Amino acid sequence: MYQNLSAAQFGAGMRQTGALLIDVRRPDEFAQGHLPAALNMDVSDPDFAQRIATLDTKRPAYVYCRSGARSAKAAKELGLAGFTHVFNLAGGMLEWPSKLGRSTLRK
C-alpha cells in the first residue's frame, strides 16, 4: 500500500531525516535532472526488485518519475518488498513546481 502526495506534501516529506528518495526513471532521464539526494533505480530494469531488497524497509520511501505512472508501479513493489511507509509523487515531475538541475533543484 502507498499514498499519493501533492508536490508540496512530497517535498516536505522527502526532507525528513531518514527518508529514502527514489527516482524510478531511466538513467538517461535521471541524468537530465533529478531531485537532490535521489537514488536512481529504474523500475523497468529487470533487477529492480533485487535492488530495492537492499534498502532499509523501516525508512519511509518517496518515489517519483515523470508523470506518476511508473512511480505508482514502483510504490506497489516497495510495499510488496516490506516497506510500510511509501509515498508517490502524484502527477510526477510534471507537477513539480521547480525546474530540475543535473544535481540540484533550481528555483
Side-chain angles (χ1 to χ4, degrees):
M1 189 63 132
Y2 66 91
Q3 182 178 356
N4 285 315
L5 299 179
S6 68
Q9 293 168 318
F10 190 90
M14 72 180 203
R15 291 178 181 89
Q16 291 179 33
T17 303
L20 287 169
L21 180 60
I22 307 169
D23 183 322
V24 298
R25 299 175 299 162
R26 296 184 320 266
D28 62 306
E29 294 173 288
F30 183 81
Q32 292 174 14
H34 56 273
L35 294 173
L39 301 171
N40 184 214
M41 296 186 159
D42 183 354
V43 71
S44 64
D45 199 330
D47 69 350
F48 180 74
Q50 293 167 338
R51 291 187 68 199
I52 62 173
T54 66
L55 301 174
D56 183 354
T57 59
K58 293 181 175 111
R59 295 172 66 183
Y62 290 79
V63 294
Y64 71 93
C65 66
R66 181 179 171 274
S67 68
R70 287 177 284 178
S71 56
K73 177 184 176 196
K76 287 179 189 172
E77 290 194 40
L78 285 162
L80 293 173
F83 281 82
T84 55
H85 296 91
V86 182
F87 305 96
N88 179 46
L89 175 57
M93 294 315 302
L94 294 174
E95 297 298 319
W96 196 253
S98 305
K99 293 188 183 239
L100 296 178
R102 289 185 188 265
S103 62
T104 60
L105 189 63
R106 288 183 277 167
K107 296 194 178 202

